[in-house]
Amino acid sequence: MAVRILWHKCLDSTNSEVRRRISQLDNLSVTAAWSQSAGRGQADHKWHSAPGENLTFTLLLKFTPESPLKARDSLLQKSTPEFPLKARDALLLTETITYALREFLASEGVISRIKWPNDIYVGELKICGILIENILEGDDVAASIIGVGLNLNQTVFPPDIPNPTSLALLTGRSNSPEAALEKLCGYIETSVELLRTPEGRERLDEYFNAHMFRRAPGD
């Protein structure tokens, strides 16, 4: 299994691009953009990222329904993995990407936490946002479009963003976006492998719960 990274100079949104081209893209492909003109976050929020300074990308995962008939008729069957994912288990997708992101940040010397529903925080500061859009076929997840915005090199943010940080601010080092994404994709491969088995899914669930962001009572 290997992640294939497709870089673009500018897109409206990497999630939107993947949705447009989903039938042409392989499972475990990553669509990345140096800049986005209409980046999106949770609940129709916009995602701000200075062009060329951060990681903005979307991971595509495709699944094979349990039913042989559904698998045969699936519109998304190109290059699908050999395992299904039920809609009721969709939280595992959040667990999969947050596992990879936390392990990547830890490798850079940054300890982070997962803030519900789809953010990564360092202390009280947000370093990463995630937008997951699932395509369902009956009670199966046919595909998952997992968008990630990770603050990499940006050090100046608009004043209306309340609590941002970046890897550069935390470590004092600038990072090559291409090299950082290649490294991160190694952790994505590991986390997707965990998604394949009951034991791996249990590990993802335990990891997610152990590293959730907890505010003090009354906050």
Side-chain angles (χ1 to χ4, degrees):
M1 178 175 64
V3 177
R4 182 188 179 197
I5 302 173
L6 305 170
W7 278 97
H8 298 262
K9 183 176 180 180
C10 182
L11 293 172
D12 53 351
S13 157
T14 56
N15 270 34
S16 297
E17 175 70 4
V18 169
R19 186 173 285 274
R20 285 190 294 264
R21 300 187 59 228
I22 193 167
S23 63
Q24 304 165 37
L25 294 171
D26 290 332
N27 173 56
L28 213 63
S29 62
V30 166
T31 297
W34 286 99
S35 67
Q36 294 185 118
S37 60
R40 293 183 289 130
Q42 288 289 329
D44 296 324
H45 294 164
K46 292 183 179 179
W47 177 261
H48 172 83
S49 179
E53 294 190 9
N54 303 314
L55 289 181
T56 51
F57 68 91
T58 295
L59 168 69
L60 175 62
L61 294 178
K62 297 182 178 183
F63 299 93
T64 302
E66 281 185 322
S67 163
L69 182 61
K70 285 185 180 180
R72 185 197 69 189
D73 294 338
S74 174
L75 298 176
L76 301 168
Q77 61 185 315
K78 179 184 177 184
S79 300
T80 56
E82 299 171 356
F83 60 92
L85 183 70
K86 292 295 183 183
R88 64 175 180 267
D89 296 324
L91 179 60
L92 283 163
L93 296 164
T94 299
E95 296 177 355
T96 298
I97 193 63
T98 54
Y99 177 98
L101 287 162
R102 280 200 79 256
E103 291 297 296
F104 166 75
L105 289 170
S107 75
E108 298 292 327
V110 173
I111 304 304
S112 61
R113 295 181 292 171
I114 304 159
K115 186 174 184 294
W116 183 264
N118 289 309
D119 291 332
I120 304 292
Y121 269 54
V122 178
E124 299 291 330
L125 303 176
K126 180 176 176 177
I127 193 170
C128 180
I130 304 162
L131 177 62
I132 299 178
E133 300 174 289
N134 293 323
I135 297 173
L136 304 182
E137 291 184 350
D139 58 356
D140 295 300
V141 178
S144 186
I145 299 169
I146 304 175
V148 175
L150 175 63
N151 294 333
L152 198 65
N153 293 322
Q154 190 167 348
T155 57
V156 178
F157 294 87
D160 58 334
I161 299 179
N163 58 341
T165 191
S166 69
L167 193 57
L169 285 172
L170 293 166
T171 66
R173 302 188 304 269
S174 62
N175 302 269
S176 160
E178 297 104 318
L181 185 53
E182 287 276 358
K183 183 177 180 180
L184 174 54
C185 284
Y187 291 103
I188 289 173
E189 290 185 30
T190 298
S191 63
V192 172
E193 279 300 307
L194 291 173
L195 188 59
R196 297 176 68 90
T197 66
E199 296 79 12
R201 293 183 180 193
E202 183 177 354
R203 180 177 170 187
L204 286 170
D205 191 55
E206 291 174 352
Y207 184 97
F208 183 79
N209 287 300
H211 298 292
M212 281 289 293
F213 184 98
R214 307 291 184 192
R215 290 189 179 274
D219 283 0

